[in-house]
Amino acid sequence: MTISAAISRASEALKLIQAPSLTVDRIKSLKLNKQLAPENFSEVRVVYSGRDTKIALSKAISAGNSIVGTLNALKSSARLAGRGSLVSPLAKISIDGTRISRLNLSSDIQRAFSLINKLVSNSQFRNGNFISSSSPNIRIHTTRFGGKLDIAPQALDTNGLNLLGLSLLDSKSANNASVRIEAAANKAAQRIDSLETLQRAINNLNFTPEALNSLTSELNSSGLPSGTLVNIIS
């Protein structure tokens, strides 16, 4: 995927983040894996109903998958910027009429980062955001059934993914940027995977022993400790 395709992916995703019409469902009380669980004694300032949770997760995961795809595309741009022979003015290499240079690649990446932050911003719902580094912790709650679940946001903005201050303007900076974008793409994929696991648990609302064993096995295969799903409230 080219840098222009990455930017196009992020732009199109902005148009697709819409709140679906969903019904209120029963929320169970779960203890989360370490990635989703907030730090001890951290404050919860946003409370979602079951319906709110489904809407907010849908918006966040839709944006998050586009962000992961964009970051994966940006890796090749950072690697290209590190190849001095290809970005040298003497090379005169161009794509779609635009000469390949570190300055142009850096400008394109910063534009893509701006779109990533816009995707995250547009995922906010009722003062909470599952993928923003500035969002407070979120409590999924329904007083009717007594279930609650505290969630730490899985930040996918440039601040949360350690992409601030990134430069491609010289070989050393470009190589450093390549490493950081690679790490950010991997971290983003892991965070979206955790949110998708949460989404499946909430949407399915199937906590029979067989379903719990299957979900626990799935979580453990991702390197999570056994016993992460406990204290199920009927």
Side-chain angles (χ1 to χ4, degrees), residues 27-33 35-39 41-61 120-121 123-142 147-156 195 198 202:
I27 305 299
K28 305 288 183 172
S29 180
L30 304 171
K31 286 187 178 178
L32 301 172
N33 67 71
Q35 182 160 303
L36 286 173
E39 295 180 359
F41 311 114
S42 58
E43 184 179 0
V44 175
R45 296 197 300 273
V46 175
V47 178
Y48 282 164
S49 67
R51 179 179 182 277
D52 289 345
T53 300
K54 287 188 173 184
I55 293 171
L57 275 174
S58 178
K59 288 163 70 72
I61 290 171
V120 171
S121 177
S123 297
Q124 180 169 312
F125 183 73
R126 298 190 187 281
N127 299 316
N129 193 328
F130 280 111
I131 57 173
S132 173
S133 61
S134 62
S135 175
N137 294 328
I138 297 168
R139 173 165 292 172
I140 301 169
H141 184 60
T142 166
K148 65 179 181 179
L149 185 62
D150 292 342
I151 303 293
Q154 303 298 292
L156 298 182
L195 290 177
L198 173 64
I202 289 173

Side-chain angles (χ1 to χ4, degrees), residues 95-196:
I95 296 178
D96 296 331
T98 301
R99 190 176 71 80
I100 298 301
S101 70
R102 286 194 176 114
L103 181 60
N104 288 338
L105 289 170
S106 185
S107 296
D108 286 343
I109 280 186
Q110 292 306 320
R111 183 183 171 202
F113 285 173
S114 294
L115 286 168
I116 285 172
N117 287 336
K118 185 69 173 176
L119 279 168
V120 171
S121 177
N122 283 8
S123 297
Q124 180 169 312
F125 183 73
R126 298 190 187 281
N127 299 316
N129 193 328
F130 280 111
I131 57 173
S132 173
S133 61
S134 62
S135 175
N137 294 328
I138 297 168
R139 173 165 292 172
I140 301 169
H141 184 60
T142 166
T143 55
R144 180 180 177 187
F145 294 105
K148 65 179 181 179
L149 185 62
D150 292 342
I151 303 293
Q154 303 298 292
L156 298 182
D157 48 34
T158 52
N159 181 43
L161 292 175
N162 188 34
L163 293 173
L164 297 179
L166 190 145
S167 172
L168 303 180
L169 296 182
D170 59 72
S171 180
K172 182 178 179 180
S173 296
N175 290 332
N176 175 264
S178 180
V179 171
R180 288 170 62 186
I181 291 174
E182 176 86 35
N186 292 337
K187 185 178 294 184
Q190 292 169 359
R191 290 175 175 176
I192 284 299
D193 185 63
S194 290
L195 290 177
E196 287 177 335

